[in-house]
Amino acid sequence: MDFQLRHQGWGLAASLVWFVTYWTLIIVRAATDDVSFTKVAWQHPLLWMLAAGVTIYAAIYAYSYWSTRGAIRTDERDLEIRRRSDAAGAGFTALGAIAALVMLALGVGAFWVAHTIFVASFLGTLASTGQTVAAYMDGFDR
Amino acid sequence: MSHDLRQPDDDDPVIMTVDQRSVWAYLTVVLITSTAYFVVVIPRALSQPIEDVSWIAPMLWAIGASIVGTIVGSIFGSIGGAIGLAIRGIEPKGQLEGDLRDKDIKRLGDRRGALISGGAMFGVLVLAMIGADAFWIGNLVFLAGTVGALVEGVTKILAYRRGF
Amino acid sequence: MPPKPTKVTNQVRALRFESGEMTQADLAERLKVTRQTVIAIEQGKYSPSLEMAFEIARVFKRPLDDVFQYAAGGTDDQPSS
């Protein structure tokens, strides 16, 4: 369980920092490029941030894996907690998808569509990871 | 508390709970509406430039129809179950309403379906990033949602019938 | 993928018959679950929760071991009695 708690907990903290960093980048860029917020060139920052995020998460995962060597990393309790927590986040992603479809139908720009999906998925991940960490700390009932 | 209805014997046929009936309704409806959507839109996409294809109205119809159809189908399924029992004079309590097992199966199916449709969102993000036409973005979302729904439904039905 | 067969077997069906021909529906009512769940447990298609396992044993007024058996093959193999 140490392994799961470690990489999920650190992942949660890192993703919050990551999320704030992305928006800071975008806002600063919009200000310095002197364009309206929705017209800012967001594609490259997002791409780089996604790449950075994946790398950081991989590092957290690898560190957690290495520091739990010799112990059982995933037992049935871990699997059960993971199953329960995944459900918490799925709703957000689904909501984001529906909102994206509505936006596409209304002809809203790519900026909004992409960021709706992005934020919705992020909130979903936040919800399920948060639920996972809480389940480890407080336990859960059937 | 006396009933006019009897408890089921062991050799009375095993019926489906309302939750299981809902899953069948969901699966059937999603198959029908998504097939109808693709039958309408794919020919258009093949014969016209992508930006001109009118896909939004068919998609909204398909989604609306699947939501309504699932609800209606579930209701009819439940009523059918209740009537079937009443005809044989059997008490419905303890056979129709879902319990912990139904909740467990729902959790399993929902999760598998969400993994698929959620995972595809990443592809949608990429499409939006590279400035793909709204047609591709919208249809990937729809396809992901449909495949996710089918996986969810099949997972649940298999869990009901084969156990898990 | 097909579910792994559970290593837990049970005597629920036999115990039901011993308890005055209790039907699946009777047992389900006492456990507050559906008849389908009782059937699934008897056929090894559903593992009851620990709480439910204890409640089943309590209905039959038997110890847990009499109702559920775990296929040994692990390290502590102790013959009973």
Side-chain angles (χ1 to χ4, degrees):
Chain A
M1 103 125 190
D2 237 7
F3 168 62
Q4 296 290 344
L5 189 53
R6 218 168 274 217
H7 85 80
Q8 301 261 19
W10 279 112
L12 188 58
S15 59
L16 285 168
V17 170
W18 176 90
F19 193 68
V20 169
T21 307
Y22 171 74
W23 286 107
T24 310
L25 270 175
I26 295 294
I27 293 173
V28 164
R29 179 174 258 212
T32 56
D33 282 357
D34 204 22
V35 293
S36 78
F37 186 57
T38 56
K39 299 259 193 302
V40 72
W42 53 271
Q43 288 89 335
H44 280 165
L46 186 56
L47 201 56
W48 281 112
M49 286 303 288
L50 281 176
V54 167
T55 315
I56 294 175
Y57 184 69
I60 292 177
Y61 194 89
Y63 168 71
S64 307
Y65 197 85
W66 176 82
S67 62
T68 51
R69 60 195 185 290
I72 298 177
R73 292 195 180 87
T74 309
D75 63 10
E76 57 180 285
R77 173 166 166 258
D78 298 307
L79 289 176
E80 174 129 19
I81 289 182
R82 189 193 300 172
R83 281 185 211 129
R84 284 157 185 279
S85 312
D86 279 355
F92 282 103
T93 313
L95 215 60
I98 294 179
L101 277 181
V102 169
M103 288 187 188
L104 286 173
L106 298 175
V108 177
F111 174 87
W112 292 109
V113 174
H115 283 88
T116 304
I117 294 178
F118 171 57
V119 172
S121 300
F122 179 72
L123 288 177
T125 313
L126 218 58
S128 58
T129 313
Q131 183 107 320
T132 305
V133 174
Y136 278 111
M137 306 289 215
D138 294 336
F140 60 94
D141 47 35
R142 279 212 161 193
Chain B
M1 190 165 49
S2 67
H3 312 278
D4 292 313
L5 306 167
R6 62 174 175 87
Q7 289 290 318
D9 290 325
D10 283 2
D11 46 10
D12 278 317
V14 184
I15 63 166
M16 299 193 278
T17 57
V18 298
D19 298 90
Q20 190 173 356
R21 290 163 198 263
S22 287
V23 175
W24 276 113
Y26 182 58
L27 211 46
T28 314
V29 165
V30 165
L31 266 171
I32 295 177
T33 55
S34 57
T35 306
Y37 170 79
F38 285 119
V39 162
V40 165
V41 170
I42 289 182
R44 288 186 193 174
L46 291 176
S47 61
Q48 299 166 28
I50 289 294
E51 318 79 71
D52 296 340
V53 172
S54 157
W55 57 273
I56 296 178
M59 187 178 287
L60 292 177
W61 273 109
I63 295 178
S66 52
I67 293 176
V68 170
T70 303
I71 295 176
V72 168
S74 303
I75 293 178
F76 272 113
S78 310
I79 295 179
I83 292 180
L85 288 179
I87 288 180
R88 283 186 229 119
I90 299 179
E91 167 70 50
K93 207 157 85 81
Q95 288 205 89
L96 282 180
E97 198 183 312
D99 63 0
L100 180 64
R101 172 174 160 257
D102 299 88
K103 229 192 315 179
D104 283 346
I105 292 181
K106 181 176 192 314
R107 186 181 294 135
L108 177 73
D110 284 352
R111 180 172 171 264
R112 294 247 175 100
L115 278 174
I116 304 250
S117 49
M121 284 303 128
F122 187 73
V124 174
L125 203 55
V126 169
L127 283 183
M129 263 196 270
I130 63 178
D133 189 274
F135 172 86
W136 296 114
I137 300 178
N139 277 280
L140 184 57
V141 173
F142 184 75
L143 187 64
T146 302
V147 172
L150 293 176
V151 167
E152 173 189 329
V154 169
T155 302
K156 289 180 183 175
I157 294 295
L158 286 179
Y160 272 113
R161 297 180 76 92
R162 294 207 207 142
F164 74 109
Chain C
M1 74 201 114
K4 284 197 298 264
T6 173
K7 283 197 273 190
V8 176
T9 54
N10 65 72
Q11 311 300 320
V12 174
R13 195 174 156 81
L15 287 166
R16 263 199 305 117
F17 291 150
E18 278 175 33
S19 304
E21 303 285 322
M22 191 190 295
T23 65
Q24 296 152 350
D26 281 339
L27 182 57
E29 192 173 3
R30 293 189 204 206
L31 298 172
K32 302 207 186 5
V33 296
T34 58
R35 180 180 159 223
Q36 291 87 331
T37 297
V38 169
I39 294 172
I41 291 175
E42 288 180 4
Q43 292 177 343
K45 289 186 183 172
Y46 180 68
S47 277
S49 68
L50 192 58
E51 286 86 350
M52 201 186 295
F54 271 107
E55 279 166 26
I56 295 175
R58 182 172 297 176
V59 163
F60 295 131
K61 298 190 182 46
R62 299 284 202 106
L64 203 59
D65 285 333
D66 280 4
V67 187
F68 295 94
Q69 291 78 41
Y70 183 61
T75 47
D76 338 283
D77 229 325
Q78 279 185 349
S80 58
S81 83

